[in-house]
Amino acid sequence: MTDPLPSAPDTGLLYSEDEEALRDAVRSLLADRSDPATVLAGLESDIPCDGGLWRSLATEIGTAGLLVPEKLGGQGASAREAAVVLEELGRSVAPVPYLTSAVIAVTALLGCDTDQPEVAAPLAALADGRTVGVLALPLPTAPGGAAEPAVRADADGALTGRVTSVADAGAAELLLVWARRPDGPALYAVDAAADGVRAEAVTPLDLTRPLGHLTFDGARGRLLATGDRARTAVERALLTGAGLLASEQLGVAEWCLAETVRYTAERTQFGRPVGSFQALKHRMAALWLEVASARAAARNAADALATDSPDAPVAVAVAQAYCAPVAVRAAEECIQLHGGIGMTWEHPAHLFLKRAKGDEIALGTPGRHRDALADLVGLSAP
């Protein structure tokens, strides 16, 4: 009797070799194409998204289709791999619509009937990076918060209404619209350039993640799902987006900590590096502990989503409640410990603070997620 082949080791929340290889590819691309000087220069233009960087990230590396099964034109990976990409995007605050298109929009489509050509075709287009898609909901919408749709649909699929503060609305070519029909909720696909669709750019705090208001005035939509299936698809998209946003917040915090340690080791005062002062060492040590804890929370959320764990809502709520404040604190410490140079436009620290503050209210505030966590685990308010 032959011995069975040994099974692959369970890495738990550790990064696998494939995930590290993906990280290396993404980090190398971003180092070449999305360094702080390049990002700052792009913010001074009217281009809301770095199209060249997005094409390289989405098509050449293939990150746009990580969450899409191979039979539907994607890479057949999981939320763990997508989380690695978002960590690196957080480290560079790259102005690309990865979270909105490759995570949230893709997940919403996967929740519909993928055997239908109305769903399969746009999903394949998103997976290979040919199309940028967004779920037309306000960026602050939290999991469980997509209640009454702001858009109405008549029996012929004509959409009317207005949705505010939609992330990457200006870069989108495909809009997934949460609407209410006479017989209940539904999800529609609408071409962003179609008649009856108007996008109005607004100035956000985080210029690397543009926002826009969308107005629908009789725009024709293609029906993707109705009733409970549509609601479930939207809720799963918001849950996945919130869970993986924690990895982006982790990346923001990691860059801020590393940059602060580097700077304080080089900046001298009274003949010694300022990083050798005990008070600053204590502050950076405390921040390191918070970042390490944030990594565990973000990885746990990504793993729960990847394995479709029944505890995924709890893991996501924990990750968002913890990682969002850590990213903000890391960015604030980065600016303060850089002294005067940290307050200038030329230094990239402000980009990370703005991304951290924008992410803090995206897909639910920390307080909203703490409330959700209390309900999920049965903790009543005092």
Side-chain angles (χ1 to χ4, degrees), residues 124-359:
L126 293 184
D128 67 11
R130 288 184 287 117
T131 299
V132 173
V134 301
L135 179 61
L137 284 175
L139 181 60
T141 306
E148 184 69 16
V151 177
R152 296 290 183 269
D154 64 20
D156 296 326
L159 305 177
T160 304
R162 189 168 187 262
V163 186
T164 60
S165 302
V166 178
D168 295 317
E173 297 149 315
L174 175 69
L175 306 174
L176 304 181
V177 183
W178 173 238
R180 175 163 293 280
R181 298 179 355 140
D183 57 350
L187 188 64
Y188 287 87
V190 181
D191 294 329
D195 292 337
V197 179
R198 186 174 74 255
E200 174 192 354
V202 295
T203 302
L205 172 65
D206 176 16
L207 296 175
T208 65
R209 178 162 284 150
L211 300 179
H213 303 327
L214 294 172
T215 301
F216 301 92
D217 186 10
R220 293 290 175 178
R222 301 181 295 278
L223 185 62
L224 300 174
T226 61
D228 289 340
R229 181 155 201 169
R231 187 180 301 278
T232 301
V234 170
E235 289 300 335
R236 182 67 183 183
L238 293 173
L239 182 71
T240 302
L244 296 187
L245 178 63
S247 292
E248 179 179 287
Q249 292 162 334
L250 169 63
V252 169
E254 287 179 332
W255 184 93
C256 292
L257 175 60
E259 174 62 19
T260 303
V261 171
R262 183 201 63 77
Y263 179 79
T264 55
E266 296 176 355
R267 176 76 167 89
T268 59
Q269 194 174 61
F270 307 115
R272 56 187 289 193
V274 297
S276 66
F277 298 154
Q278 188 177 47
L280 299 193
K281 287 195 290 187
H282 285 177
R283 287 170 66 171
M284 288 184 282
L287 185 58
W288 184 90
L289 289 173
E290 292 185 4
V291 172
S293 298
R295 184 179 301 110
R299 289 295 291 170
N300 183 52
D303 186 70
L305 291 167
T307 58
D308 201 20
S309 168
D311 290 331
V314 172
V316 169
V318 169
Q320 270 303 305
Y322 189 81
C323 294
V326 169
V328 173
R329 173 172 159 75
E332 290 173 342
E333 288 286 83
C334 180
I335 289 178
Q336 188 171 47
L337 296 184
H338 271 74
I341 189 65
M343 301 292 181
T344 65
W345 174 265
E346 289 75 17
H347 195 281
H350 67 93
L351 298 177
F352 291 84
L353 177 60
K354 292 169 184 174
R355 174 63 69 90
K357 292 297 290 184
D359 283 356

Side-chain angles (χ1 to χ4, degrees), residues 17-34:
E17 291 184 5
D18 289 342
E19 289 167 350
E20 291 293 1
L22 175 62
R23 180 194 305 282
D24 291 342
V26 174
R27 182 174 293 186
S28 177
L29 172 66
L30 295 176
D32 290 339
R33 305 277 295 276
S34 188

